[in-house]
Amino acid sequence: MHTPHPPRPPYPPPGGDPGESDEFLAARLRNRPEGEAAHSVALLTARHWQSMHDYAAVCLASSGQTAAMVTAAALHRVLDRVAAGESAVALRPALLVAVRDTVREWAADDRITGVVPELQKPAGGRGMRAANTMIPENRSLAQRAFRSLPARARCLLWHVEVEAEPISVPAGLLGMDLAVASGALEQAREKFRQGCVHAHQELAPTKDCRFYNRLLDVPIRRGGALLPDVRQHLAECRHCRNAAEQLSHFESGLGPLIAEAVLGWGARRYLDSRPGRTTAGPRGGRAARRRRRSGDGPSGGGRHRVLSRIPVPARLTGIAFPDPVRTTRTLLTGLGAVSAGVLVSVLIAGSSTPDGDAADPTGSTGAAGGRAALPSASPPGAAGLPTAPGRTRLRNVASGLCLDTRDEPQDGSGTRLADCSSAWTQQWTYEDDGLLRSVADPGLCLDSHKDAGVVVLGTCADPGDQRGADVRYDLTVQGELVPRWDVQLALAPATPDANADIVVKVRDRTVDQRWAAEPVRTAGDSLSISGTGGPAARQVELAEPVT
């Protein structure tokens, strides 16, 4: 979590003073004081140009003048979005994706390819134009998990694991202390793995896949052998086979997994172009894991021993898998089979409901279309919550998804779009003074100023508090949530996709920035914010709308 004035790292980021993080420069770009915008653009360009140019050369299969043109166009595109309010915390992967998308868009335009012949190379723009998708199917879980990470976690993982840079580089780009950054890196790795496991269950095509979710993750994590029925399932199920392969990267090399999940096209060639990978040499074993835990360099390079415990015939996937490796930490040996049976029961009970679906720690089961079971228990800290003002759910009009929090509600937790449900984390109270208070933790409110453009949970402020305007909003007649510290801004999702961050954007009066306040009924329909009758069922009274 950022502090107001983070300690200055001993090594400055490339381009600029150690105290000037990417987001610090982006804030200057948004405010555009005299001379500061040009300063920010220059420093951000100095920090990220070379990597963007290298990837442009990969996408074009050429390092000529066209690569510089693509790099400049992609940089301009992203910085325009940053100036409009988009976060610059994890800027490098966003810039590289913009390079890839620029090449593909130009290659799809016959007028452009007519004057830029380098776009017509089969290994470059022409190939990208013909490709159905940039991200391979066997990276869908990692792609989903990486996107769901907080921006700081994405920045740390990208620069350490993919770019193979020392932890001091992303620490400087984030304005974080080195020790704090090292601890955050370990947490990011764990969150990324948990995201992959969760994505495997969310996208599972059958109940069997959900059933084997934890039985797949735990042995790979511990280095043990998979159970025979799990091995048999993998031989028949591509979804679970791909999941096992992606999870196996956490043992020795996250760089290729992340690069392929984010960039897809040319990811391996981009990895090979990274200076840190050409000088660091191969890393593996316990010593490498210790270095990774301390944040001292990448988690490994090259194709590691994938699926050594997953005996899938090569004809099923086109990959020649090695023979199964016997290990002393196997789950089933001799009398240990009885204990393993108990372990199986515990894992199944902890990972799925009776019908095979994932258990929801909030007591609700989200589903498409916003239908879900009501919570069976009150959230922590909500026992004494008054019945009025009533609870509401905020549905984004453009996407149909609802405003939710990431992970456990706490000071600094991010917010996101999610399928509408009755989860406590999707319930809010809009109070007379403009506070948007979380029902999951009534001490927390939506804060639009705490994390430089990204909306997070923050402690609710008193009206006279200096932070009062940061956590208070007016709801316009069009359904916009306008922060009181700047009425030219509005809350909106970064993209219309599930798991997209909620950010502050320049108010443009489009449907993307409109929210519908929906009633949320409590168990037994005893309370409603839209019903009639007693005060416990009265409609939420919004502050006087602004135009």
Side-chain angles (χ1 to χ4, degrees):
M1 184 184 306
H2 275 180
T3 57
H5 301 285
R8 294 159 64 92
Y11 306 105
D17 183 86
E20 295 180 320
S21 66
D22 277 357
E23 185 57 40
F24 177 85
L25 295 174
R28 288 183 172 180
L29 186 63
R30 296 183 193 108
N31 296 330
R32 297 181 182 274
E34 185 67 27
E36 294 299 333
H39 172 78
S40 295
V41 170
L43 291 189
L44 291 172
T45 302
R47 292 177 179 182
H48 300 287
W49 176 274
Q50 189 58 55
S51 296
M52 294 176 66
H53 189 273
D54 290 344
Y55 186 48
V58 168
C59 292
L60 292 164
S62 170
S63 59
Q65 183 180 6
T66 305
M69 293 167 53
V70 166
T71 303
L75 182 68
H76 180 73
R77 173 186 294 187
V78 173
L79 292 187
D80 275 352
R81 299 202 306 259
V82 169
E86 186 174 300
S87 172
V89 173
L91 196 55
R92 180 69 59 80
L95 289 167
L96 295 177
V97 169
V99 167
R100 182 199 68 194
D101 292 346
T102 299
V103 173
R104 194 180 191 193
E105 290 171 11
W106 287 11
D109 192 322
D110 293 333
R111 296 170 299 176
I112 298 179
T113 57
V115 295
V116 187
E118 285 183 302
L119 291 166
Q120 301 181 29
K121 293 188 176 183
R126 183 177 166 188
M128 296 176 74
R129 178 178 182 173
N132 292 327
T133 178
M134 294 292 97
I135 307 300
E137 178 190 0
N138 64 350
R139 290 294 175 261
S140 60
L141 304 186
Q143 179 190 35
R144 188 183 182 100
F146 191 79
R147 284 179 175 176
S148 69
L149 290 173
R152 283 190 288 273
R154 297 198 303 270
C155 179
L156 289 165
L157 286 174
W158 186 270
H159 286 275
V160 173
E161 301 288 355
V162 177
E163 303 285 345
E165 293 171 335
I167 189 66
S168 59
V169 172
L173 296 177
L174 292 169
M176 297 177 70
D177 177 70
L178 281 176
V180 174
S182 296
L185 176 62
E186 277 304 303
Q187 294 176 5
R189 290 189 180 114
E190 181 59 27
K191 281 182 176 292
F192 183 38
R193 184 185 189 110
Q194 291 173 0
C196 289
V197 174
H198 186 61
H200 169 253
Q201 189 165 51
E202 278 191 327
L203 302 177
T206 67
K207 287 187 177 181
D208 284 346
C209 298
R210 291 191 290 271
F211 178 87
Y212 289 118
N213 180 259
R214 291 286 289 161
L215 297 179
L216 187 64
D217 173 47
V218 172
I220 293 177
R221 181 189 293 267
R222 296 177 178 176
L226 297 175
L227 297 173
D229 54 341
V230 178
R231 294 159 66 93
Q232 177 61 36
H233 177 73
L234 291 182
E236 301 168 354
C237 177
R238 176 181 296 180
H239 174 75
C240 292
R241 194 161 59 244
N242 287 341
E245 192 272 332
Q246 288 169 87
L247 290 173
S248 70
H249 280 264
F250 286 84
E251 297 180 57
S252 58
L254 282 179
L257 177 67
I258 296 174
E260 290 170 1
V262 174
L263 302 178
W265 184 276
R268 288 282 174 170
R269 285 176 286 162
Y270 178 74
L271 283 172
D272 292 341
S273 73
R274 299 300 80 213
R277 292 191 170 275
T278 59
T279 58
R283 300 186 181 188
R286 294 182 179 178
R289 286 192 288 273
R290 284 196 297 270
R291 282 193 291 271
R292 293 199 300 275
R293 281 193 291 269
S294 65
D296 185 20
S299 62
R303 173 67 71 178
H304 52 77
R305 295 184 297 276
V306 287
L307 306 187
S308 59
R309 297 179 300 281
I310 305 171
V312 183
R315 60 182 172 81
L316 293 178
T317 60
I319 300 175
F321 296 112
D323 292 333
V325 176
R326 295 186 178 275
T327 173
T328 57
R329 292 192 292 171
T330 181
L331 291 178
L332 294 176
T333 53
L335 295 176
V338 176
S339 299
V342 176
L343 173 64
V344 171
S345 301
V346 172
L347 292 178
I348 294 172
S351 65
S352 61
T353 57
D355 63 353
D357 291 330
D360 188 341
T362 66
S364 64
T365 53
R371 295 184 300 274
L374 289 169
S376 57
S378 296
L385 187 69
T387 59
R391 303 169 188 176
T392 186
R393 184 172 58 198
L394 295 170
R395 184 189 294 270
N396 181 255
V397 174
S399 66
L401 302 172
C402 286
L403 194 153
D404 201 348
T405 61
R406 293 190 183 277
D407 305 320
E408 291 295 324
Q410 57 184 329
D411 190 9
S413 294
T415 54
R416 60 169 184 155
L417 283 183
D419 289 336
C420 297
S421 73
S422 298
W424 292 108
T425 53
Q426 291 188 17
Q427 297 184 30
W428 312 89
T429 60
Y430 187 94
E431 303 186 356
D432 292 339
D433 58 0
L435 284 177
L436 265 173
R437 191 183 296 272
S438 170
V439 171
D441 188 334
L444 300 175
C445 291
L446 279 185
D447 192 321
S448 58
H449 215 175
K450 184 182 182 71
D451 198 9
V454 179
V455 179
V456 299
L457 290 179
T459 54
C460 300
D462 295 328
D465 194 298
Q466 185 178 358
R467 293 181 48 254
D470 299 350
V471 291
R472 287 174 168 80
Y473 306 85
D474 291 311
L475 184 68
T476 71
V477 293
Q478 292 84 17
E480 300 159 311
L481 283 170
V482 178
R484 292 188 177 178
W485 60 274
D486 190 341
V487 296
Q488 301 302 317
L489 304 176
L491 267 60
T495 67
D497 305 316
N499 281 322
D501 289 328
I502 307 300
V503 299
V504 178
K505 293 186 177 181
V506 175
R507 187 178 168 195
D508 58 13
R509 302 181 186 274
T510 61
V511 69
D512 297 337
Q513 298 182 358
R514 296 178 185 173
W515 301 88
E518 300 179 341
V520 177
R521 298 182 182 276
T522 60
D525 292 334
S526 59
L527 296 177
S528 170
I529 68 168
S530 61
T532 59
R538 70 180 180 88
Q539 186 172 359
V540 167
E541 297 176 359
L542 301 177
E544 182 177 353
V546 296
T547 57

